Each structure stands twice: as C-alpha cells, then as structure tokens.
Amino acid sequence: MRLSIPASAFVAAIVGFGGTLVLIIAASDAVGATQAQTASAVTALCLAMAVESLYLSWRTKMPVISAWSTPGAALIGASSGFTVEEAVAAFIITALMLIVTGLFRPLTRLIAKIPASVASGMLAGIVVTFAINAVKTIPSDPWLILPLIAAFFVFRLLNPALSVLAVLVGGGLAAFLTGRVGGLPAPELSTLTLIAPDFSLSSAVSLALPLYLVTMASQNLSGLAVLRAAGYHPEPGPLITVTGLVSLLTAPFGALTSNLAAISAAICTGPDVHPDPAERWKTGPFYALFYLIFAIFGASLVAIFAVLPQSLILLVAGLGLMGPLANALAIALKDESERMAATTAFAVTASGLTLLGIGSAFWGLLAGLAVLALDSLKKRQ
C-alpha cells in the first residue's frame, strides 16, 4: 500500500476538522450550550465521521468521505433566540428528512431542482455575517489580527486548503506567547452528554428546514459531484440514508448533521492518492481512524478553544468561510436571468430577519424563489 493513501487521509481529516472546528463552537455558543455539551457535540460528530467514512468506503469500495455540514454550522451560529434543546430537536428533524430523502429517490431529484443561484444566494447570506464579524475583530486587537489576516492571504497562495489551519495554529501560538492566554487546560478524555430535545414549530422552520436544504444542496450534492468528477458513480440514496441514520443517532448528544464531504473528499479521490481508482477507497478507513483520535481528545480541544481570545475565534471562523462565500456569490450571480432572485435571497438572509418566529434563511429562500417565479411569468408573456 502506498504511503500517499494514509497521508491524503490525514491531510483531509486535518483540513476538515481543524479548519472548521471553530464554526461548531460558534454554533454551540449561539444556542447557549455549555462547554461539556459543546465537547459532547464535537465528540459525537467525530464518531459520526469515523463510522460513516469507514462503512461507506468499505461497502462501496469507493473513497466516500463524510464531514459535518459547514454551512449548517454557519446557519446555527448565525441564529438567535434558540436553546440547545431546540437545536437538538432541529438536528433530529433534519436527520429524519435526510433518511426519507435517501429512501425516496424523487425527493433527491426535487432538491436538485432548487435553482443553484437561489440556494447559493441563501448560503452566501448565511456565511457573510461571519466574514463581516472577522473584519470587525481588527479594532479589538489589531497587533494580533492584522498580521494573521495578511498571513492568511499569503499562505493561501501556497496552500489554500491549509491556510485557515495555519492561521489558527499561528494565532494560537501568538496569543499564548504574548500572554493573551492565561494557561492551557489539563488534558481530558471526551465524554458524551445526552441533551433532551425541545420540539417547536419555530425551530423546525427556522433551523431544521434551512439546515436540511443547505446540507442537501451545498454538501450532499457537491459531495456526489466530487465523486463523479473522479470517475465514481455511487447510488446517492444509500449514501444519504446512512448519513441521515448516523446523524439521527448522534443528534441527542448535540451533534450537528453529518453529510457527504466535498473539499475533504476532493483530497481523497484524485490520482495523487493512488494511480488506480480502485485502490483509493482505502483512504476511508484511515480517515475514520484519524477522526476516532479526534473524538477521544475532543474535550481537550474544546477546552483549548475556550481559553483562546474571542477575537481569534471570530477571525478564524470568518476566514474559514471566505472561500465558501466567494464560491456561493459566484454561483449566485453567474446566470444573469436569475441574479435578482439570488440577490434577493442573499439580502433577506443576510438581514437576520425574524418574522412569525421564523429565521431569515427560510425567508431568504422563499423570497428568492418568489422573485424567480415572477421573472418566469414575465418571460412567458
């Protein structure tokens, strides 16, 4: 076996975990989770990655890699007025919808028919808040933040996939060496904490439905596209069903929805992994092993993040979403005939509008689809 197989799996795991962990912490903070509940969520998510990637790769003999929903974490992190119990209920509902989608093929096709421009406009509206908050950290600690921003844009010229991780590690070391961190917490093993769900119509519409849509449109469909681009053609239904089932099992521990990976999968599916496509599935078990290690030490990692300066956390979260924001905006504005609908979805979502107890992501999607429908009627006249 080539060394490139475990090496690629390690890079994919590091990029997926280290580059977006701050978003999981931000999402937990937004719903008022305790540090123990946040650690539980991280541990459960890592276990989900391990189980899904191991089983799906072995079962299909393809490099099927899973990840947590980055836009989903941004969605939860940008929300307000919800409790961790309501968030868990939303995760359960989302998981059930994913299972149903995987079992009934027409639903997958229906989600695929949502215009990419409108879905991307909604996604851009969700993540732009984090990018703006990253810029807003500059006045609070310019001597720490400005060099890190410069390092990010320089490093991404060399290695875009690791640029956010470099800022996180470099910023953490700088904060520690300059006395911005009081002291590192003692190492501890992870534990899982059960959280009783609190079902409500508001969380179902404001959290569960948008989470389902961004997970399907921005993650699962993209993950399938990456596999197809690499020459693999898995049946979508079973893959989505498995990620939905695992998400259902991990949701009571505070875990966000898991799904097919796109960026991490791209690292594990190319010819650099192995010249023979039939051998690349072996990245799955190694990827699972690394996530199992992350699960064991998830509590310590969350504790370390808890003592880092808040400005650094906000900065890393914002920089980590710059790429997805740029990609979402490019897709949203690509088709001139759909630009107004996509812009409407972006503006309404980014506004943070809450109406009838329902959050802005839902209204943004609805507004974008409404404008698109009106434009379609005009064309038919």
Side-chain angles (χ1 to χ4, degrees), residues 117 120 327-336 338-340 342-343:
S117 58
S120 296
N327 185 59
L329 288 173
I331 296 173
L333 301 176
K334 182 179 180 180
D335 190 335
E336 185 176 355
E338 298 179 356
R339 282 179 186 172
M340 183 57 70
T343 303

Side-chain angles (χ1 to χ4, degrees), residues 60 62 224-225 227-236 239:
T60 63
M62 302 177 193
L224 289 168
L227 287 170
R228 288 171 183 147
Y232 302 99
H233 299 280
E235 183 65 31
L239 305 188

